[in-house]
Amino acid sequence: MKLMLDVQIKSPAKKITYADRFFLIGSCFTEHIGRRLEELKFSTIQNPNGILFDPVSVSKSLNSYVDLKKYKQADLFYLNELWQSWNHHSLFSGMDANNVLLNINLSQRKAHEELKSATWLVITLGSSFSYQLTEDNQPVANCHRAPGQWFNKHMLTTEETVAALDESIQKLLVFNQTLQIIFTISPVRHIRDGVVENNRSKARLIEAVHQLVDKYSHVHYFPSYELVIDVLRDYRFYDVDLVHPNYAATEFVFEKFEDSFIDPDTRSYMEEIKKIASGYKHKPFQPQTQSHQSFLKSSFEKVRQLQEKLPELDFSKELTYFSKRNL
């Protein structure tokens, strides 16, 4: 009996290996994928501006990395005893404007360099809703709990989304000609906008992204949204807020990503790394026992052999941990 729909996922001609470098940007679901890639030893950089939800904020941030925009104090504003940036998450906010600018511009420099050398850019879009300041229509990526009357809320049209992202893709084509781009739509429901409005928002994102996939050979689509909404289709795959996919759902999505986008030989190494990570996290009740000492010794040898096969990866913390044997 067939209990789930199948989603046909188009794989890229050249799949991902450990020689590749990831740049991830977008909604909170970006960080689910990014954390799993980091745990599996892939080279990654995630959200240099912090979490971003709408296409305009994503596009504006990507353009700033390509152009190596340098932020000045005029780009900041003071609210709730903190200096803040409309283009950045509150994790960049602080009481000292100079420190805020230093951290923002260090992040800009790192993002510029990492994007230049990245082989894969993963863009996760969360919502079509964009916010602009009422005084000058400046788009903002984060409202920083400012009064609601400071902003106008606008659901971007499909055409506006395509235009913003297309501009960034054109800049990226010149900046990094080998870059492959993966778009995905976050399955997180933006229920504060309303159920119907959330579905309209997601539909516009999906249509816009597919127009770009059809236009560019190096732009791909991974159906995170469809895997959760149409394949899993059950609230048991959501957290208690009924909005965010839970661990089982995000693992299911990542497994589909592995199957479709990652090279088979690389996936075999990933399985070995998963076992090593599990052993690294294991906390023994009786670390002095001979069985645990043998486990450490065998694990150390497995890591050492894997390090020889994959010298570009960093296993230093695992080698240090497994070498702590009572000889």
Side-chain angles (χ1 to χ4, degrees), residues 16 22 182 222 253-262:
I16 296 161
F22 280 93
I182 302 172
F222 176 69
V253 171
F254 190 79
E255 286 173 8
K256 293 295 184 181
F257 181 79
E258 287 183 32
D259 292 343
S260 304
F261 280 81
I262 297 180

Side-chain angles (χ1 to χ4, degrees), residues 13 21 80 95 261 289 291:
R21 301 173 69 87
N80 297 327
M95 299 179 70
F261 280 81
T289 61
S291 63

Side-chain angles (χ1 to χ4, degrees), residues 272 276 297-307:
E272 294 183 53
I276 289 168
K297 184 177 180 180
S298 64
S299 297
F300 179 87
E301 185 60 24
K302 290 175 183 176
V303 178
R304 187 191 64 76
Q305 291 175 7
L306 198 55
Q307 181 73 89

Side-chain angles (χ1 to χ4, degrees), residues 191-238:
I191 297 303
R192 284 186 298 178
D193 298 322
V195 174
V196 172
E197 289 78 6
N198 172 72
N199 288 340
R200 291 181 64 204
S201 165
K202 300 288 188 184
R204 293 185 184 193
L205 295 177
I206 292 168
E207 176 56 29
V209 165
H210 280 287
Q211 288 188 29
L212 296 168
V213 171
D214 291 341
K215 182 176 180 178
Y216 296 100
S217 61
H218 66 290
V219 177
H220 314 276
Y221 182 69
F222 176 69
S224 299
Y225 179 80
E226 291 83 353
L227 286 168
V228 176
I229 301 298
D230 291 318
V231 178
L232 297 181
R233 289 184 67 85
D234 194 312
Y235 276 111
R236 66 194 168 105
F237 293 108
Y238 278 84

Side-chain angles (χ1 to χ4, degrees), residues 4-236:
M4 284 184 171
L5 289 173
D6 293 324
V7 174
Q8 298 301 316
I9 303 174
K10 187 176 180 181
S11 298
K14 183 179 181 298
K15 293 192 175 184
I16 296 161
T17 72
Y18 274 115
D20 290 311
R21 301 173 69 87
F22 280 93
F23 193 110
L24 301 102
I25 187 170
S27 78
C28 54
F29 199 76
T30 298
E31 306 200 341
H32 287 295
I33 298 172
R35 278 195 296 270
R36 293 294 290 119
L37 290 169
E38 279 187 352
E39 289 170 0
L40 292 164
K41 301 292 185 181
F42 285 96
S43 173
T44 67
I45 179 173
Q46 300 178 49
N47 278 337
N49 281 39
I51 292 170
L52 304 169
F53 292 103
D54 71 275
V56 169
S57 296
V58 168
S59 176
K60 190 175 179 181
S61 297
L62 286 171
N63 294 346
S64 79
Y65 308 148
V66 172
D67 298 335
L68 190 53
K69 172 182 168 65
K70 185 173 183 180
Y71 282 80
K72 302 174 182 178
Q73 187 153 342
D75 297 310
L76 304 181
F77 67 98
Y78 191 72
L79 178 70
N80 297 327
E81 302 182 74
L82 298 173
W83 288 98
Q84 321 213 44
S85 164
W86 291 123
N87 297 322
H88 293 77
H89 191 274
S90 57
L91 62 89
F92 285 93
S93 303
M95 299 179 70
D96 186 302
N98 290 328
N99 284 338
V100 171
L101 286 173
L102 176 64
N103 290 332
I104 286 175
N105 286 321
L106 284 173
S107 184
Q108 286 289 110
R109 168 65 66 177
K110 183 177 180 181
H112 176 84
E113 293 170 353
E114 293 287 343
L115 190 55
K116 182 68 174 177
S117 61
T119 43
W120 292 91
L121 169 63
V122 180
I123 301 174
T124 307
L125 302 176
S127 174
S128 293
F129 283 101
S130 175
Y131 289 81
Q132 296 93 32
L133 293 174
T134 55
E135 62 180 9
D136 59 6
N137 292 322
Q138 175 190 341
V140 301
N142 195 304
C143 295
H144 297 291
R145 299 185 179 180
Q149 61 266 29
W150 287 19
F151 308 100
N152 291 319
K153 182 180 178 181
H154 168 61
M155 185 190 289
L156 297 167
T157 65
T158 301
E159 293 74 20
E160 288 173 321
T161 297
V162 170
L165 294 172
D166 202 357
E167 178 189 359
S168 295
I169 291 172
Q170 293 286 347
K171 292 175 78 76
L172 289 164
L173 272 173
V174 176
F175 183 66
N176 181 345
Q177 296 178 10
T178 63
L179 188 67
Q180 297 287 313
I181 301 172
I182 302 172
F183 277 105
T184 190
I185 308 302
S186 170
V188 177
R189 294 181 170 106
H190 289 245
I191 297 303
R192 284 186 298 178
D193 298 322
V195 174
V196 172
E197 289 78 6
N198 172 72
N199 288 340
R200 291 181 64 204
S201 165
K202 300 288 188 184
R204 293 185 184 193
L205 295 177
I206 292 168
E207 176 56 29
V209 165
H210 280 287
Q211 288 188 29
L212 296 168
V213 171
D214 291 341
K215 182 176 180 178
Y216 296 100
S217 61
H218 66 290
V219 177
H220 314 276
Y221 182 69
F222 176 69
S224 299
Y225 179 80
E226 291 83 353
L227 286 168
V228 176
I229 301 298
D230 291 318
V231 178
L232 297 181
R233 289 184 67 85
D234 194 312
Y235 276 111
R236 66 194 168 105

Side-chain angles (χ1 to χ4, degrees), residues 271-306:
E271 291 305 313
E272 294 183 53
I273 291 172
K274 287 177 188 177
K275 293 175 184 176
I276 289 168
S278 178
Y280 177 77
K281 294 175 182 176
H282 175 65
K283 303 300 178 187
F285 290 113
Q286 301 295 336
Q288 307 301 323
T289 61
Q290 186 60 46
S291 63
H292 182 66
Q293 297 301 307
S294 298
F295 163 75
L296 291 175
K297 184 177 180 180
S298 64
S299 297
F300 179 87
E301 185 60 24
K302 290 175 183 176
V303 178
R304 187 191 64 76
Q305 291 175 7
L306 198 55

